[in-house]
Amino acid sequence: MDNDVSKDYPVLRSSLQCVKHSPSPGLPLVYLNTFLSASFAELFTFPLDVTKTRLHLQGETAEMAHAKGSQTRGMWGTFAGMAREEGLRGVYGGLSAMIIRNLFFNGPRVVFYDFIRRQLIYVDNQGKEVLTVFRGFLSSCLAGCTAQAIANPLDIVKIRMQVEGRRRALGYPARVSNVKQALEYIYMQGGIKSMWKGVGPSCLRAMLLTTGDVAVYDLSKRNIISMIGLEDGKLVQFLASVSSGLAASVLSTPTDVVKSRIMNQPVNERGQGMHYKNAFDCYYKLITQEGIMAMYKGFLPCWLRVGPYNIFFWIAFEQLLRLQGQHSF
């Protein structure tokens, strides 16, 4: 079978991204570097993740009922309000859950993506590695969904901890104060099933997010190197990470809003959500009750968070590989 798929599929010829064939770092090293780089990036960008989650939850019936007459805040108003009313504890609420989540989501998804793409990359007649857009996106979707299925309980914990400050400001008693307590609380509410509440929209979001911030980074870097002729270095990594940050934000924000709503909603004695029956019901109520733009609540802080996060993450990740004597991602 001819390895040059561009002969059989001319339409895909322009989408083939090429780099010279070279050894790749081992998967355990990819996992370790991903965890370290992701945790490093969180220190700078996590407050905007909290802001994004708060904006996602604006408009929910439960909150509005206890905030009578209060106006919804924009991005800067939400961030300033958190900093003023809740201090550092509110701005970095849920950071511990996010760091632990990096062990079960960010680390595995990059490892899964790297493993899958290695099976799908082929070497052409000129000795160059070739990865099509379709194969890159397929790798990212499989990797993102698998990692999210593993990490879903920690996603619920992170969201619960991020809104605790707002609950206290509205007169609610605090539900959780640490990861262990949050996991126990969620389990007591609905058993093991409640730990995977919202896993459907979460997996869809993870597929889109991983496509944006991993596959688009990979393919953009290959494209910049092959088409512009730049050497693989900080400039190429910066340009590719900016592209991936924008793509990830555009693709993932609607599913991120739905995921936040479903994971944060209270449940009845049977463990069923009191606001939304499922993801489709949440989409329907969002659009009909709050308008189509509700799907992109929190887009600006998401982009402002994911954009710098990707820059910090990918440059740190690539530099770790080089310090270890490995080829870049």
Side-chain angles (χ1 to χ4, degrees):
M1 180 176 176
D2 191 348
N3 280 335
D4 192 354
V5 295
S6 63
K7 292 179 180 178
D8 299 322
Y9 303 98
V11 176
L12 291 179
R13 177 185 289 272
S14 62
S15 70
L16 296 180
Q17 317 300 327
C18 306
V19 294
K20 292 182 179 180
H21 181 62
S22 57
S24 297
L27 295 179
L29 199 58
V30 171
Y31 177 83
L32 175 63
N33 290 342
T34 299
F35 171 73
L36 293 175
S37 301
S39 299
F40 169 75
E42 295 292 357
L43 297 177
F44 299 95
T45 62
F46 189 75
L48 283 168
D49 190 63
V50 181
T51 302
K52 175 202 69 176
T53 299
R54 297 288 183 90
L55 288 171
H56 287 175
L57 300 176
Q58 280 187 2
E60 282 200 322
T61 305
E63 176 165 330
M64 296 303 292
H66 289 268
K68 296 173 182 177
S70 65
Q71 295 181 347
T72 57
R73 297 166 170 173
M75 182 189 74
W76 298 117
T78 298
F79 179 79
M82 281 194 305
R84 182 177 61 253
E85 298 164 10
E86 305 166 37
L88 203 61
R89 182 182 179 185
V91 170
Y92 277 92
L95 179 62
S96 58
M98 178 63 89
I99 298 298
I100 296 172
R101 179 177 176 268
N102 286 336
L103 290 169
F104 297 95
F105 178 68
N106 280 319
R109 73 172 178 148
V110 177
V111 168
F112 294 156
Y113 174 81
D114 193 30
F115 175 78
I116 296 169
R117 72 164 182 166
R118 288 184 194 185
Q119 316 310 309
L120 299 179
I121 286 176
Y122 66 91
V123 181
D124 67 10
N125 295 331
Q126 297 178 344
K128 294 180 180 179
E129 290 182 349
V130 179
L131 178 68
T132 66
V133 170
F134 173 77
R135 291 184 180 191
F137 284 7
L138 176 62
S139 301
S140 62
C141 287
L142 292 173
C145 189
T146 304
Q148 181 59 43
I150 296 169
N152 201 73
L154 286 162
D155 241 8
I156 300 175
V157 169
K158 179 192 69 120
I159 290 172
R160 293 286 179 89
M161 293 180 71
Q162 285 180 337
V163 300
E164 282 306 302
R166 182 60 175 158
R167 284 175 57 85
R168 285 191 292 269
L170 293 173
Y172 283 93
R175 294 181 296 188
V176 295
S177 59
N178 56 61
V179 175
K180 180 176 180 293
Q181 185 184 24
L183 287 169
E184 291 173 348
Y185 178 83
I186 295 166
Y187 180 79
M188 287 173 60
Q189 276 193 312
I192 194 69
K193 182 180 178 181
S194 65
M195 308 289 278
W196 273 267
K197 181 170 68 172
V199 70
S202 292
C203 279
L204 177 58
R205 174 190 177 270
M207 291 166 65
L208 296 171
L209 182 67
T210 306
T211 296
D213 64 12
V214 181
V216 170
Y217 174 82
D218 186 13
L219 293 165
S220 294
K221 197 172 81 161
R222 292 168 183 270
N223 198 29
I224 292 169
I225 292 171
S226 64
M227 295 185 67
I228 302 179
L230 293 176
E231 292 290 330
D232 186 2
K234 291 187 180 69
L235 176 59
V236 170
Q237 293 158 13
F238 173 80
L239 293 174
S241 61
V242 169
S243 301
S244 67
L246 178 59
S249 300
V250 172
L251 289 171
S252 68
T253 295
T255 52
D256 204 16
V257 175
V258 170
K259 183 200 76 169
S260 296
R261 293 284 181 101
I262 289 178
M263 286 185 169
N264 187 64
Q265 69 174 329
V267 296
N268 58 26
E269 62 278 2
R270 294 190 297 261
Q272 298 172 332
M274 297 176 66
H275 295 162
Y276 314 107
K277 298 175 183 177
N278 49 50
F280 295 108
D281 184 49
C282 187
Y283 279 117
Y284 175 77
K285 288 180 177 176
L286 268 173
I287 295 171
T288 57
Q289 296 177 8
E290 302 176 43
I292 190 69
M293 291 309 296
M295 303 296 292
Y296 276 89
K297 276 188 175 182
F299 172 77
L300 185 56
C302 178
W303 184 25
L304 290 177
R305 190 251 178 187
V306 172
Y309 173 90
N310 274 19
I311 294 170
F312 282 121
F313 171 79
W314 283 114
I315 291 181
F317 181 83
E318 298 275 20
Q319 295 312 303
L320 282 174
L321 287 177
R322 294 199 174 189
L323 285 173
Q324 295 156 354
Q326 304 291 323
H327 187 265
S328 62
F329 188 72

